[in-house]
Amino acid sequence: MPTPPSIQRAVDDAFQAFGQLPGGANADYIPFLAQVPDKLSALAVVGIDGSQYCAGDVRYRFALESISKVCTLALALEDWGHDTVQEKIGADATGLPFNSIMALELHAGKPLSPLVNAGAIATASLVKAGSVEERWQRILAIQQQLGSGEIALSAELNESEQSTNAHNRAIAWLLHSAGYMYCDPMEACDVYTRQCSTLLDCLELATIGATLASGGLHPFSGKRVLQAENTPRILADMTMEGLYDSSGDWAYTVGLPGKSGVGGGLLAVVPGVLAIAAFSPPLDEFGNSVRGQKMIAAVADTLGYNIYRSPATALPHSR
Ligand code: DON
């Protein structure tokens, strides 16, 4: 484990170098996201031992968006086990954009990944619940248990998303017609839209990652949130599809399971050690934070973290 000063230095240096990088643009297909100040930028590391390191606007509360897919996947795995999730949703990359209809058409309507919109709507429908409110409360609860009790729905963001989610509704009906929808399609789409509409800060995002890094133990409370056997499945899905159609480039260049959201959040996990989270709204063409990718890549590189690297060739931990 690198020393605390070397981790803080890595965070400070990455923030300094890339925290205001030009390029990219806020998501604008959800009106709420278009008006978030694009200068905002934050970087945080949380260790599985509860240590914390941060720089920038770490207390700004931003939209969780697609990173919520990781939390709902965790809940579906807890409810059903990995074989059922693989059969009913899939565990593979689509190689296509996150809201692709073509990806469904190419695979007889099977979403393939719980981390694209279709797979995430199907995953929300798979969560065990007797009513729409129970489904929503269980999904919110897992976000809070993985991260922090402060994570909460923004009514304004939810309204902005619900009034512009026609494409996701279409996806939900396509899933229904192909046999990959496990509750009422509009209930699933409603709850999926709510799960994207919660707000959290960068430290809370890193905390979600640290819970995954530890095999399911929350880094601050020490409470078990997930069964240890489920976290490798989640991290594998993140590797395959966490940054959508640039997941391969991310694995090749950074080598850490990651997950992005169109709110500008980005999370990367070093299994058994820590998580690195970033937030900055401008996105690249794939929907991933431009500055977030650079900041996280720099921290991982400086500290020598890459899951594909042999420990024998690990970088010295403090430079
Ligand atoms: O469903 C949507 O399109 C958004 N609520 C979330 C998409 C998203 O975050 C994709 N991420 N990079």
Side-chain angles (χ1 to χ4, degrees):
M1 183 77 180
T3 61
S6 64
I7 300 177
Q8 186 60 53
R9 193 161 59 240
V11 168
D12 289 338
D13 289 353
F15 183 76
Q16 203 61 41
F18 302 112
Q20 288 304 320
L21 203 67
N26 284 34
D28 60 4
Y29 71 101
I30 298 168
F32 180 100
L33 300 179
Q35 42 84 29
V36 176
D38 62 5
K39 284 274 174 242
L40 288 165
S41 191
L43 183 58
V45 167
V46 172
I48 63 168
D49 60 356
S51 53
Q52 308 174 36
Y53 311 87
C54 50
D57 303 304
V58 278
R59 287 300 180 194
Y60 185 87
R61 306 192 74 75
F62 58 92
L64 184 57
E65 297 299 341
S66 278
I67 306 169
S68 68
K69 293 166 178 166
V70 168
C71 306
T72 305
L73 167 62
L75 187 53
L77 286 166
E78 294 290 309
D79 277 1
W80 292 98
H82 52 81
D83 286 341
T84 302
V85 172
Q86 187 174 16
E87 178 206 322
K88 292 188 177 297
I89 311 289
D92 217 332
T94 68
L96 288 163
F98 63 81
N99 55 4
S100 174
I101 301 286
M102 200 196 302
L104 288 174
E105 292 295 310
L106 288 172
H107 302 99
K110 186 168 182 176
L112 292 197
S113 170
L115 301 185
V116 296
N117 287 14
I121 296 167
T123 306
S125 80
L126 196 57
V127 165
K128 289 182 178 169
S131 68
V132 58
E133 268 323 297
E134 188 188 356
R135 188 175 307 282
W136 162 239
Q137 289 303 332
R138 289 197 69 218
I139 287 175
L140 176 62
I142 194 74
Q143 293 185 7
Q144 294 171 336
Q145 287 159 18
L146 289 164
S148 125
E150 301 297 305
I151 298 175
L153 185 79
S154 159
E156 187 190 351
L157 172 56
N158 185 46
E159 168 55 29
S160 182
E161 299 223 12
Q162 297 279 3
S163 58
T164 54
N165 70 351
H167 189 90
N168 285 339
R169 287 171 192 245
I171 287 175
W173 282 115
L174 286 174
L175 289 165
H176 175 71
S177 75
Y180 290 103
M181 180 52 65
Y182 309 105
C183 76
D184 174 79
M186 291 302 94
E187 173 180 335
C189 192
D190 173 9
V191 171
Y192 162 78
T193 305
R194 292 194 227 181
Q195 77 178 40
C196 292
S197 302
T198 57
L199 300 182
L200 82 176
D201 70 26
C202 197
L203 264 168
E204 290 166 352
L205 181 56
T207 305
I208 293 175
T211 305
L212 299 175
S214 71
L217 295 174
H218 193 279
F220 302 137
S221 69
K223 268 174 73 175
R224 179 159 294 284
V225 182
L226 303 176
Q227 296 177 67
E229 69 187 50
N230 285 334
T231 59
R233 314 282 171 167
I234 298 167
L235 298 178
D237 277 321
M238 289 168 67
T239 299
M240 289 184 278
E241 193 57 84
L243 281 82
Y244 304 110
D245 31 344
S246 68
S247 299
D249 288 313
W250 177 257
Y252 188 81
T253 55
V254 181
L256 295 177
K259 185 71 204 85
S260 66
V262 289
L266 180 63
L267 176 62
V269 176
V270 183
V273 187
L274 51 73
I276 314 167
F279 158 66
S280 198
L283 309 178
D284 67 12
E285 72 210 88
F286 304 104
N288 305 317
S289 171
V290 171
R291 297 171 188 147
Q293 291 177 79
K294 288 286 189 189
M295 290 193 284
I296 289 178
V299 171
D301 185 52
T302 303
L303 299 177
Y305 291 131
N306 178 327
I307 62 169
Y308 305 111
R309 192 195 300 280
S310 159
T313 62
L315 294 176
H317 270 138
S318 48
R319 290 179 179 169

